[in-house]
Structures are given as C-alpha cells and as structure tokens.
Amino acid sequence: MKMRPPVPPFTEETARQKVQAAEDAWNTRDPDKVAAAYTADSVWRNRDTFVTGRDEIAAFLRGKWDRELEYALRKDLWAYSGNRIAVRFQYESRDASGQWWRSYGNEQWEFDEEGYMRRREASINDLAISESERRIFGTRPESERGDAIPLR
C-alpha cells in the first residue's frame, strides 16, 4: 500500500495537516474518496453504528449523504500524541423535509505507520436550526483555514 502522508508520529503541524485533509475529503461527499483514507480493515463507531473496512465505510457514507443534504463540515484539532489525533467538529445539513441541522461531535483517530486511519470513534449530537442560523457553507475558504470553530 502506498504511504498516505503525513504519517505518525504526529507533530502539531502534521496533525493539523491530517485534520484539514480529512475535512477537505469529507466535504467532497465522495464516499470512495473518503474511504480510501482508511485501512482495509478499519473499525468505526459512528454514533450507534459500527462498521468495518472500506466497503462498509463507503456504504455507510452513501446512506449518510443521501439523508444529510447539502452537508458541510468543519474540523478542529483537539489533541495529538504518537499515532493518535482527537478532533472536534461541526457540520450542517438539511433533511428531505427541509429542516436544517447542526451536528456537534468529537472523534478519536488512530493511524497505522503508513498514515491510514485504522480506527475512528465518533460521538455526535444534533441541534435543529433555522436556515438563517447556518454558518457553515461548503468547503472552508483558504482564508479561514486554521481558524477554530465556535463552541456553539
């Protein structure tokens, strides 16, 4: 398998690069592109759903983005050590009825030596918002890269 830099052990700079790369990939809403960042046997917990391997990850993401329309995400580095990174994130999406949601969460990531994520655990809470309360629109502009996301 080809190396996927940056690779562990992470520094603050390389951990931030990994977080931004993940945000950029997820904002494409391309399940196969996102799944390619994980090991072939990667293990996930996403809320109350458990998936294993790239095929299940891609299938999970297809379903997610079929339900979560106009999905746009921001991730923020929380901590890092060795081959692990912790992030907090927020994303906004709307459901088929037109209701907008802001989802708040935390993730713990563990990487293999080649820079692929082998474990992801995500805890997520959802808040109904009005369209006028939206603040996350598409991919993060270059001018906002590195900016912390607000608590609420």
Side-chain angles (χ1 to χ4, degrees), residues 19 22-23 73-77 88-89 107 109 140:
V19 171
E23 177 184 306
L73 167 74
R74 298 293 182 268
K75 290 185 182 280
D76 196 14
L77 176 66
R88 65 188 195 97
F89 64 87
E107 293 175 314
W109 300 342
R140 187 189 301 239

Side-chain angles (χ1 to χ4, degrees), residues 92 100 102 129-135 137:
E92 293 175 353
W100 282 95
R102 183 173 304 127
I129 61 171
S130 66
E131 187 170 6
S132 66
E133 293 175 286
R134 290 186 62 211
R135 63 170 180 253
F137 301 91

Side-chain angles (χ1 to χ4, degrees), residues 11 21 56 62 130 135 142 146 148:
T11 64
E56 287 185 20
R62 279 185 197 86
S130 66
R135 63 170 180 253
E142 194 66 37

Side-chain angles (χ1 to χ4, degrees), residues 90-110:
Q90 295 174 22
Y91 68 84
E92 293 175 353
S93 62
R94 66 173 174 80
D95 61 27
S97 75
Q99 174 62 59
W100 282 95
W101 298 90
R102 183 173 304 127
S103 299
Y104 297 89
N106 300 291
E107 293 175 314
Q108 293 81 47
W109 300 342
E110 183 178 87

Side-chain angles (χ1 to χ4, degrees), residues 13-30:
E13 179 184 356
T14 60
R16 288 190 184 285
Q17 290 171 358
K18 204 66 154 176
V19 171
Q20 188 62 57
E23 177 184 306
D24 292 344
W26 280 67
N27 276 325
T28 68
R29 295 183 299 239
D30 179 336

